[in-house]
Amino acid sequence: MPEAYRRTLVRQVSQHAHSEIIGMQPEGDWIASAPSLRRKAILLAKVQDEAGHGLYLYAAAETLGVDRDDLTERLIEGRQKYSSIFNYPSLSYADVGVIGWLVDGAAICNQVPLCRTSFGPYARAMVRICKEESFHQRQGYELLMRMMEGTEGQRRMVQDAVDRWWWPSLMMFGPPDAESPNTQQSMTWGIKIDTNDDLRQRFVDMTVPQAERLGVTLPDPDLVWNAERGHHDFGTPDWDELKQVIKGDGPKNAERVSRRRAAHEKGAWVREAATAYARKQQEATV
Amino acid sequence: MSGENIFTGLTEEHDGDARWAFGTGFTEALAGVDTTLPAGVDGADLAVYCQMLGDDALVQSQRLVQWVTDAPELEEEVALANIALDLLGQARLLLARAGQADGSGRDEDAFAYHRDPEHFRNVHLTEAPRGDFARAVATLLVLSSWRLAVFTRLADSADPVLAAIAAKGVNELAYHREYVVAWTLRLGDGTPYSHERLRTAVADVWPLTGELFATHPLEAALAAQGVGVDPASVRDEVHEVVTRVLTAATLPAPEPFPGQTVAGRDGEHSAHLAPLLEELQRVAREHPEATW
């Protein structure tokens, strides 16, 4: 395997794994206060799935000759990134639904083509992950449908959450193609199948009818159907904000990483115990 | 549905499973079970008994949720969330049965969200603060061993619904116990530090274990009807299991479970339950007219 190809994949797969693990936090905060036991079970199962996705992806990365512990160190020392979307706060239970609908929806748009990516272990992990993500997206959308059928206050919560998550969701596809340093090389190698802008367009086109059905407004005055192109035109995300968040100045960057670091450091004695026990067992059988 | 467009069906009308991209494959836990109250079973007593078992599960599940994003390793994230989910599932079935048995028609959420602490029937062990990982292991070792012993007997309950819930729960609880036994061995026979932390955790948990085996008059009555289990009857079995595990983990053999009278089963709780329930009930109570 060419070294540059390997390095690119390690970066992409480990960032993806980190995103799954950090992505547990914004929604995980709501499990304890979920407003019905059914919603609690759905959300707990979803956040558990994300831990599972992180596990497969770290395992896929390990086939490239890196070590999970080392990748975790890179995350908690801020040497590797994760999806910037998770640096925004989740302010109400409607956010749980909107994260499922828009954030998981955008993730699916990004990830379904990756089921055909050129590195087998990554592609195979994506098949299972996409199935579970599509489940999460539907659960999120179903929560929003129920909330929109509820009280006026609930409808306001949903619209408020849509207003806050719409633009960050569009930014999940990365910078515009003209400013995406890695896209061309990754496409040549068959790691990436579509460009950022193509995926973003696909997401917008899929989401608009879903928003109409739901009865919410997407917060973009420039969003309009363009019959000539056969696509929706839409406004330009605030790329300066994205740069700030990627740089680490988002609303929740510091908290997300420090929480992951705290859990990892607090758990060190447990992992050491497991290692010591395994060694004793091995010695006993030799 | 094509792989590239797995969510195009989102806005279409469907019935049942077809809404989900790949189907759910789920079957109702109580499908085919006769929910009629059998002759000779006191519905009011059965309802309270279901709350006892259901509240243990609900409150312990809520405690376990505190491990989400805080576990020592990703495998433990998955496992602890899984145990929490299983217990939540048991609680939902038991609380729904309570609402059928007492004739009130209350659903699972009415019990979970609209009772105050003095109406919860869980034992103190489940509401005690989460503590460290060793504490979680010590708590789950006793609790899952106890619950497995009780559910194994309840699978023959004269109430067919309780029997079905218990039969489903036995498989889950056997896994919980297996998981926690593995960690008891790792911590007890791991490093000197982990050994010490587990020893401390077992000592801290021990005073709370006796309540599990204290017989409430209602449990005695239901046991006599063949509906419930007298928890005193599983005391020796559970002690033997826990002793065997702790000894294998190089810890000292434990004291007998302390003799104790009923407390949580009668709604007498420690100061730890109210804040736990406040968090659980907050959103539901803030929006009383809402639908979720």
Side-chain angles (χ1 to χ4, degrees):
Chain A
M1 183 184 294
E3 179 55 22
Y5 175 84
R6 191 189 73 88
R7 254 201 330 268
T8 301
L9 269 170
V10 168
R11 182 175 55 81
Q12 182 167 338
V13 177
S14 51
Q15 284 182 8
H16 191 165
H18 299 330
S19 300
E20 296 283 358
I21 299 306
I22 296 291
M24 295 167 70
Q25 292 184 24
E27 288 180 285
D29 288 344
W30 285 99
I31 298 170
S33 301
S36 75
L37 296 186
R38 176 170 172 268
R39 291 293 167 202
K40 189 190 286 285
I42 288 172
L43 186 56
L44 180 50
K46 177 189 173 176
V47 174
Q48 183 198 30
D49 282 349
E50 286 164 359
H53 297 173
L55 265 175
Y56 317 141
L57 288 166
Y58 283 124
E62 285 187 324
T63 67
L64 293 159
V66 288
D67 178 76
R68 196 210 300 181
D69 287 343
D70 178 47
L71 296 178
T72 303
E73 289 298 327
R74 290 190 213 178
L75 170 66
I76 63 183
E77 287 168 11
R79 288 188 283 129
Q80 271 190 334
K81 305 286 185 199
Y82 54 89
S83 180
S84 296
I85 192 85
F86 300 118
N87 290 323
Y88 292 89
S90 54
L91 302 180
S92 82
Y93 207 79
D95 288 43
V96 170
V98 171
I99 290 172
W101 174 39
L102 295 180
V103 176
D104 293 335
I108 293 168
C109 260
N110 260 329
Q111 291 169 9
V112 165
L114 291 177
C115 298
R116 292 181 285 118
T117 193
S118 57
F119 183 59
Y122 190 31
R124 287 187 288 275
M126 291 320 304
V127 172
R128 176 161 177 182
I129 289 172
C130 283
K131 287 184 185 183
E132 293 182 350
E133 292 292 351
S134 89
F135 208 87
H136 300 165
Q137 200 221 9
R138 279 151 193 273
Q139 287 171 325
Y141 195 71
E142 191 249 354
L143 168 61
L144 298 177
M145 291 287 247
R146 282 300 296 267
M147 290 186 71
M148 292 301 284
E149 292 161 2
T151 63
E152 191 49 41
Q154 285 184 291
R155 281 188 284 278
R156 274 199 304 272
M157 281 164 75
V158 173
Q159 183 62 57
D160 171 63
V162 170
D163 290 345
R164 284 182 287 107
W165 288 97
W166 172 250
W167 291 108
S169 299
L170 288 191
M171 292 190 231
M172 284 176 70
F173 298 94
D177 293 346
E179 295 165 32
S180 176
N182 304 316
T183 293
Q184 205 44 54
Q185 184 63 73
S186 285
M187 288 182 77
T188 308
W189 281 335
I191 295 174
K192 229 172 141 161
I193 314 286
D194 303 278
T195 72
N196 296 352
D197 286 336
D198 285 348
L199 290 169
R200 195 167 8 249
Q201 180 72 61
R202 192 180 297 169
F203 175 70
V204 171
D205 289 341
M206 283 198 281
T207 306
V208 168
Q210 294 165 8
E212 283 167 5
R213 171 77 195 281
L214 199 56
V216 295
T217 310
L218 298 173
D220 179 359
D222 298 326
L223 184 64
V224 62
W225 174 251
N226 181 329
E228 206 173 308
R229 288 202 309 125
H231 291 292
H232 293 87
D233 292 336
F234 55 97
T236 308
D238 181 349
W239 296 117
D240 288 338
E241 177 185 308
L242 180 68
K243 279 176 201 150
Q244 289 296 313
V245 178
I246 289 179
K247 244 174 51 195
D249 296 334
K252 289 278 181 181
N253 292 56
E255 182 185 320
R256 300 285 186 238
V257 173
S258 73
R259 184 148 141 199
R260 179 75 192 102
R261 172 196 289 277
H264 189 67
E265 289 175 354
K266 254 187 325 190
W269 71 273
V270 176
R271 297 190 299 275
E272 283 159 16
T275 307
Y277 179 78
R279 197 170 46 237
K280 286 183 197 178
Q281 295 303 107
Q282 215 165 21
E283 283 164 8
T285 54
V286 170
Chain B
M1 195 173 284
S2 101
E4 291 290 322
N5 276 302
I6 51 179
F7 65 168
T8 49
L10 208 59
T11 53
E12 295 160 14
E13 291 287 356
H14 289 296
D15 294 324
D17 262 14
R19 278 184 313 132
W20 304 107
F22 300 93
T24 63
F26 299 155
T27 47
E28 288 292 325
L30 297 180
V33 176
D34 183 3
T35 58
T36 321
L37 202 61
V41 173
D42 184 321
D45 279 359
L46 175 61
V48 175
Y49 187 58
C50 286
Q51 289 171 65
M52 293 175 176
L53 295 172
D55 290 344
D56 281 351
L58 179 61
V59 171
Q60 182 61 26
S61 174
Q62 187 77 0
R63 276 284 174 242
L64 287 171
V65 162
Q66 294 178 328
W67 284 102
V68 171
T69 74
D70 202 34
E73 189 55 291
L74 294 181
E75 284 82 351
E76 276 44 71
E77 285 284 351
V78 176
L80 293 170
N82 196 60
I83 294 173
L85 259 177
D86 285 345
L87 291 175
L88 177 58
Q90 292 175 12
R92 294 178 65 189
L93 294 170
L94 286 160
L95 295 177
R97 183 55 174 164
Q100 291 167 352
D102 68 9
S104 67
R106 282 180 288 176
D107 65 9
E108 59 188 43
D109 290 334
F111 284 100
Y113 292 93
H114 299 290
R115 280 180 304 158
D116 290 332
E118 65 271 22
H119 295 115
F120 274 72
R121 300 274 185 165
N122 58 287
V123 294
H124 288 206
L125 181 61
T126 58
E127 71 198 36
R130 188 200 84 167
D132 69 355
F133 188 72
R135 173 71 180 244
V137 166
T139 299
L140 280 173
L141 176 63
V142 177
L143 202 59
S144 61
S145 302
W146 177 85
R147 201 167 170 88
L148 178 58
V150 170
F151 272 44
T152 303
R153 287 161 178 77
L154 278 181
D156 296 322
S157 170
D159 177 35
V161 176
L162 196 50
I165 295 169
K168 176 177 184 288
V170 161
N171 294 329
E172 297 166 350
L173 292 161
Y175 160 74
H176 304 174
R177 193 178 68 172
E178 185 180 315
Y179 171 78
V180 79
V181 165
W183 270 110
T184 306
L185 297 174
R186 290 187 195 112
L187 296 185
D189 196 14
T191 63
Y193 182 73
S194 67
H195 177 94
E196 191 50 30
R197 284 191 71 154
L198 182 61
R199 197 190 60 74
T200 306
V202 171
D204 289 347
V205 159
W206 213 252
L208 298 172
T209 57
E211 193 188 359
L212 287 166
F213 307 96
T215 308
H216 189 281
L218 190 141
E219 289 173 308
L222 285 173
Q225 294 169 37
V227 175
V229 173
D230 179 351
S233 70
V234 302
R235 174 188 284 265
D236 291 345
E237 177 188 320
V238 174
H239 197 268
E240 198 218 310
V241 168
V242 172
T243 302
R244 201 172 349 138
V245 176
L246 291 177
T247 312
T250 74
L251 264 75
E255 300 284 311
F257 294 121
Q260 207 168 319
T261 50
V262 166
R265 300 280 186 237
D266 267 337
E268 293 162 19
H269 293 285
S270 68
H272 304 300
L273 182 63
L276 177 140
L277 292 180
E278 201 280 324
E279 188 178 32
L280 187 147
Q281 298 170 336
R282 181 171 59 82
V283 177
R285 290 188 175 197
E286 272 170 16
H287 304 276
E289 306 296 320
T291 53
W292 306 99

